[in-house]
Amino acid sequence: MKHKHKLRQAIDSLYSCGQVTTEEVYTRLVLECARAGDVEEARRLESHMLLHSYQPANTFLENRLLHLFAKAGKLSYARNLFDKMPKRDIYSWNAMLSAYAKSGSIENLKAVFNQMPSRDSVSYNTVIAGFAGNSFSHEALEVFLRMQEDGFEPTDYTHVSALNACAQSLDLRRGKQIHGKIVASNLGGNAFVWNALTDMYAKCGEIDKARWLFSRMNNKNAVSWNLMISGYLRNGQPGKCIDLFREMQVLGFRPDEVTVSNVLSAYFQIGCIDEAEKLFCVIREKDKVCWTTMIVGYAQHGKEEDALRLFGDMLLENVRPDCFTVSSVVSSCAKLASLHHGQVVHGKAIILGVDDDLQVSSALVDMYCKCGVTNDAWIIFNMMPARNVVSWNSMINGYAQNGLDLEALDLYEKMLMENLKPDSFTFVAVLCACIHSCLFEHGQKYFNSISEIHGLTPSLGHYACMVNLLGRSGQMKEAVDLIKRMPHEPNSLIWSTLLSVCALKGDIKHGEMAARFLFELEPLNAGPYIMLSNMYAAGGKWEEVASIRSLMKNNNAKKFAAYSWIEIDNKVHKFVSEDRTHPDTNLIYEELRRLVKKVQEAGFTPNTKWVLHDVREEEKFESICYHSEKLALAFGLIRRPRGVTPIKIMKNIRVCGDCHVFMKFVSKIIGCPIILRDSNRFHHFEGGNCSCKDYW
Ligand code: ZN
Ligand code: ZN
């Protein structure tokens, strides 16, 4: 600081004296600027020199300034000076190359390289490193070849850049050639070269070869350890990654933030969340990457609440999250369908200035849709400065899931008009919209367009949508034919779709067929047994009901634990069927009995066909009254803040038919809209109707 101050004083006095300054004084000052890395003073000095039409041109001085500007990434200063230079030598050209390489200005880098009157090995090295450093690996390797053709010997520095380019483009063949050359030329004693080789082999999938090189390195540094640890992670061997981490510590190497975030990822990949937490707690200096790895890890393991908590801690510790962190936290809010948390994170995103980011705003669109607030999603979608297929998919899918099917299809047509290429996810959303609205012909048209117009192969997900659509429109035979014709082996998704649609239509014949396949594919899943048994029960086929029940018992099939949750006062309250663990249990059951009485007076009859057991009617009635979504609704009605509507309930599996009718009645009787998000879609209940039009 003191040094810079003196420098400024010196240059100021130069300005004021107005005398002809000697070359020696300029040289001294320029060298001082370079030593202090003071770009702005150098720039002042340069203009001073030009002002006094300093003659004759001192290429040495100008090159020093040029290098200083290039090093500081001051591209415009460098270009200005370069253009004005009366005489340029190879150093001037190399300085310009370095300025463009540093700023990632690849087109200019190419142009200057081609214009150069002559080149030396520094020119080649600068260009190769510039290309490799900016992910232009193909160009980097081309210049690497040209360098040798032009008779220049690559140095260690050249090899490192070329190996980086091979690693980026996964060009193992070229990487091996370079390795051979290094061995033959007796170069490569340098740790950087060994590291680049290790990294190249690890990235190209030859992890054992990388490990062999690593074990022979006698001057390993922290970078070597990190490369090997991330190599194992990349090659899907998180266990080895953790072993190496332990070895590293035993040998006395200090792990840095890069090591820690890789090891955290490794723990999450093998599900050792406790271990990850322990490691995370002991690191004192946590950087953004460590925090983000931990937050994303939680989110990926269904620990959304922990992800949210940690995000709060991260902000308290004054660590600035990036777009990746924020978008994964927004996705956690979407999974929880927690509008409150989603809005808080949205606010943080605005403060952090990342709400305009493509990834973040797409996640926000998805979050608002998953919370049932499509209006807010639409506002964000409209304000996005740029949109990609993910953003469009979020909005189209959001509309489809919220029963705004025509809006979804409309938006899809707009997407095509903007010349965006739909992907597999887009078509799932579009077909879902057609299913909900029973737009059979539209669905068929969109399905055909997947391969015929967009050149994609329809996936099992798309076929399942078509089976659903055909079945719902009463073309069960065509649905079964489609399954037989499709190029994929039918999986449980296809059969369970067929089974559900058979249950909807009461088609026992095809339902039995679908169920048989499911018993084979997923013998432990109780869902298909229950569904088929319900179909038999509805038809009064009690013998078949009994035989399915014993089959289910013999196969030891387990019911998937159904639960519902509701957010009140920023807290999530979870209920299972006939739950009596909530502190407000008595109030909840009292409210629910009151509601049942009211809706019965309004003409509601509980539909007991949704109960598996062949038991007495009153018993059926009891168990169906206390389904988890009904308990959550009753709790919501007693505890929601005054006037807050709609009531929002989430359920982890599909809503049952009885609860669906019940919600419709309640929405009418108490005049309060209810939003129920089940595993399949959103149900917006209002005035006795549901947005799904009773199809889900
Ligand atoms: Zn129910
Ligand atoms: Zn519905």
Side-chain angles (χ1 to χ4, degrees), residues 383-450:
M383 290 198 323
M384 284 173 79
R387 302 183 196 114
N388 63 4
V389 65
V390 179
S391 348
W392 284 87
N393 285 354
S394 298
M395 197 64 227
I396 295 173
N397 189 45
Y399 271 150
Q401 295 301 312
N402 282 283
L404 298 162
D405 305 314
L406 297 178
E407 283 84 347
L409 297 179
D410 208 42
L411 201 60
Y412 171 67
E413 296 295 339
K414 279 200 188 112
M415 173 182 179
L416 294 186
M417 281 195 282
E418 295 210 0
N419 284 325
L420 265 129
K421 200 172 154 47
D423 64 9
S424 180
F425 293 104
T426 324
F427 287 110
V428 172
V430 165
L431 291 174
C432 280
C434 296
I435 293 169
H436 300 151
S437 292
C438 281
L439 294 166
F440 172 70
E441 272 155 30
H442 284 71
Q444 187 74 58
K445 188 188 86 188
Y446 289 128
F447 180 76
N448 293 340
S449 79
I450 299 176

Side-chain angles (χ1 to χ4, degrees), residues 624 627 629-630 651 655-659:
I624 207 161
H627 274 183
E629 56 268 56
K630 291 193 180 92
K651 191 178 183 191
V655 57
C656 87
D658 180 73
C659 289

Side-chain angles (χ1 to χ4, degrees), residues 592-593 595-611 616-627 630 656-663 665:
L592 195 51
R593 274 190 288 271
L595 277 176
V596 170
K597 201 161 163 265
K598 266 189 162 177
V599 296
Q600 278 184 318
E601 282 164 11
F604 167 77
T605 41
N607 187 345
T608 44
K609 86 167 187 193
W610 300 96
V611 186
R616 283 177 300 122
E617 283 297 312
E618 312 85 271
E619 275 181 45
K620 285 186 197 174
F621 178 71
E622 272 291 295
S623 70
I624 207 161
C625 278
Y626 305 128
H627 274 183
K630 291 193 180 92
C656 87
D658 180 73
C659 289
H660 194 267
V661 180
F662 184 80
M663 299 280 167
F665 270 94

Side-chain angles (χ1 to χ4, degrees), residues 566-665:
I566 183 166
E567 192 180 282
I568 299 280
D569 289 337
N570 311 329
K571 229 190 114 192
V572 172
H573 300 261
K574 198 169 145 183
F575 298 90
V576 296
S577 189
E578 297 176 71
D579 201 327
R580 287 181 188 275
T581 56
H582 197 278
D584 289 341
T585 290
N586 288 341
L587 285 172
I588 292 168
Y589 276 76
E590 199 178 297
E591 172 73 10
L592 195 51
R593 274 190 288 271
R594 202 177 61 80
L595 277 176
V596 170
K597 201 161 163 265
K598 266 189 162 177
V599 296
Q600 278 184 318
E601 282 164 11
F604 167 77
T605 41
N607 187 345
T608 44
K609 86 167 187 193
W610 300 96
V611 186
L612 174 63
H613 322 281
D614 176 21
V615 286
R616 283 177 300 122
E617 283 297 312
E618 312 85 271
E619 275 181 45
K620 285 186 197 174
F621 178 71
E622 272 291 295
S623 70
I624 207 161
C625 278
Y626 305 128
H627 274 183
S628 61
E629 56 268 56
K630 291 193 180 92
L631 294 172
L633 172 69
F635 177 68
L637 286 171
I638 39 181
R639 282 284 177 255
R640 76 185 152 133
R642 186 174 286 275
V644 168
T645 62
I647 292 183
K648 280 192 206 127
I649 302 164
M650 275 67 70
K651 191 178 183 191
N652 69 333
I653 60 167
R654 282 182 195 213
V655 57
C656 87
D658 180 73
C659 289
H660 194 267
V661 180
F662 184 80
M663 299 280 167
K664 289 205 287 188
F665 270 94

Side-chain angles (χ1 to χ4, degrees), residues 502-508 529-546 548 607-614 617 620:
C502 287
L504 194 74
K505 293 284 177 185
D507 184 332
I508 292 193
Y529 301 89
I530 297 173
M531 211 172 248
L532 186 62
S533 162
N534 283 341
M535 286 171 76
Y536 286 139
K541 299 189 166 189
W542 299 110
E543 266 175 42
E544 283 85 347
V545 170
I548 288 294
N607 187 345
T608 44
K609 86 167 187 193
W610 300 96
V611 186
L612 174 63
H613 322 281
D614 176 21
E617 283 297 312
K620 285 186 197 174

Side-chain angles (χ1 to χ4, degrees), residues 128-149:
I128 296 169
F131 279 140
N134 288 287
S135 304
F136 283 75
S137 46
H138 181 72
E139 285 82 350
L141 291 171
E142 241 172 36
V143 180
F144 176 65
L145 276 186
R146 198 163 140 194
M147 173 179 190
Q148 293 160 83
E149 283 164 12

Side-chain angles (χ1 to χ4, degrees), residues 327-469:
S327 62
S328 80
V329 176
V330 173
S331 301
S332 290
C333 300
K335 273 209 196 127
L336 284 173
S338 165
L339 183 60
H340 166 76
H341 286 111
Q343 284 169 333
V344 170
V345 178
H346 185 183
K348 299 277 184 229
I350 294 171
I351 294 167
L352 292 163
V354 295
D355 58 316
D356 270 353
D357 171 76
L358 191 59
Q359 207 181 351
V360 173
S361 45
S362 298
L364 284 168
V365 168
D366 183 55
M367 183 274 293
Y368 280 112
C369 285
K370 292 225 162 86
C371 293
V373 197
T374 45
N375 279 348
D376 288 358
W378 176 243
I379 291 170
I380 293 174
F381 181 77
N382 263 322
M383 290 198 323
M384 284 173 79
R387 302 183 196 114
N388 63 4
V389 65
V390 179
S391 348
W392 284 87
N393 285 354
S394 298
M395 197 64 227
I396 295 173
N397 189 45
Y399 271 150
Q401 295 301 312
N402 282 283
L404 298 162
D405 305 314
L406 297 178
E407 283 84 347
L409 297 179
D410 208 42
L411 201 60
Y412 171 67
E413 296 295 339
K414 279 200 188 112
M415 173 182 179
L416 294 186
M417 281 195 282
E418 295 210 0
N419 284 325
L420 265 129
K421 200 172 154 47
D423 64 9
S424 180
F425 293 104
T426 324
F427 287 110
V428 172
V430 165
L431 291 174
C432 280
C434 296
I435 293 169
H436 300 151
S437 292
C438 281
L439 294 166
F440 172 70
E441 272 155 30
H442 284 71
Q444 187 74 58
K445 188 188 86 188
Y446 289 128
F447 180 76
N448 293 340
S449 79
I450 299 176
S451 55
E452 287 168 13
I453 298 176
H454 302 287
L456 301 167
T457 309
S459 67
L460 277 162
H462 302 135
Y463 278 102
C465 289
M466 279 316 283
V467 167
N468 199 337
L469 198 57

